[in-house]
Amino acid sequence: AEGGLAGRAAGSGELGCAEGCAEGCAEQGCAERCDEGRSRLRRLRITNDGGASADDDDDGADLYIRVLPTKLALVRLAPAMLQASTHTLVHRLLFGGSEGGSALWSYAHIDDDISLMVEEEALDDFPEGAIVGSYAQWRPLRLCGKAFGFDATGVVCAMYAPYEQGLPLLNISTYSTNISLIEEEDLGRAIASFDLPVLRPSEDEDDAGSGLSDGGEA
């Protein structure tokens, strides 16, 4: 998903010299134009018609990034324990988090690899021996300020700044939104890397739950 969205947005013309820069382009001013283009891409290249946005710097003025209060763990589920974990997985699918509210989680099963992204407290709901290995703590970030259609381009690119600073970055895309994930220990550096305003949760929100609802904005 990341390559598709980023590629479609970058290929619209304004960043036409980006590939040349990657090859050591010597054109005068090329690097400066690429840096400016990437910055504007993160701010403006989010459209609902499959193309580039207009050259209007106010298009991205209302966009901001929200750090969700949820703390997530990326873990592996032992394939031999999948059947024993069915009740936990189905309960989470149907009823959400432990308090019955909305919950951010992901299940991916490819060949013999089963990966879960779940709230830390949910790990205790799985049978003993189901969760394999240790895990890092991840924080989800969400691009807000407008509703994004399924064919919107540039959404992932708008969240790409931490990766450009050498920070690990994961993305989970759904039909109508995208969640970027940053390791907890890198959260401060990630926030500082964005051109857009960043809204952090209060301490009370951090303790309260997932906070996924955002008035219909992706």
Side-chain angles (χ1 to χ4, degrees), residues 18-171:
E19 293 184 3
C21 285
E23 298 295 330
C25 175
E27 180 183 345
Q28 185 175 4
C30 180
E32 288 79 3
R33 288 200 301 276
C34 281
D35 289 341
E36 179 183 357
R38 281 191 290 267
S39 178
R40 295 193 66 232
L41 177 67
R42 288 194 295 268
R43 291 183 59 83
L44 305 177
R45 292 281 198 200
I46 300 171
T47 69
N48 291 331
D49 58 4
S53 62
D55 292 334
D56 181 356
D57 286 345
D58 291 333
D59 286 356
D62 295 330
L63 295 179
Y64 65 95
I65 294 167
R66 183 180 175 210
V67 181
L68 302 182
T70 308
K71 297 180 180 180
L72 300 172
L74 176 61
V75 297
R76 293 182 63 198
L77 179 66
M81 295 295 293
L82 179 57
Q83 184 173 354
S85 303
T86 300
H87 175 78
T88 300
L89 292 170
V90 172
H91 187 276
R92 192 159 192 81
L93 175 64
L94 297 179
F95 303 106
S98 56
E99 301 298 325
S102 60
L104 171 61
W105 70 292
S106 174
Y107 173 96
H109 190 167
I110 303 175
D111 296 329
D112 59 349
D113 180 22
I114 305 175
S115 295
L116 295 173
M117 179 72 77
V118 295
E119 297 167 333
E120 283 187 295
E121 55 267 28
L123 297 180
D124 294 335
D125 297 334
F126 287 87
E128 183 177 357
I131 303 301
V132 180
S134 59
Y135 61 89
Q137 196 175 77
W138 295 80
R139 295 298 297 269
L141 290 77
R142 187 176 185 180
L143 185 64
C144 303
K146 62 172 290 185
F148 304 111
F150 177 73
D151 58 351
T153 61
V155 177
V156 174
C157 263
M159 307 293 289
Y160 205 59
Y163 178 80
E164 293 178 331
Q165 301 300 315
L167 303 178
L169 177 67
L170 301 177
N171 281 287

Side-chain angles (χ1 to χ4, degrees), residues 180-192:
S180 295
L181 298 132
I182 297 290
E183 287 195 59
E184 175 75 23
E185 62 182 21
D186 295 327
L187 184 60
R189 292 174 59 199
I191 289 175

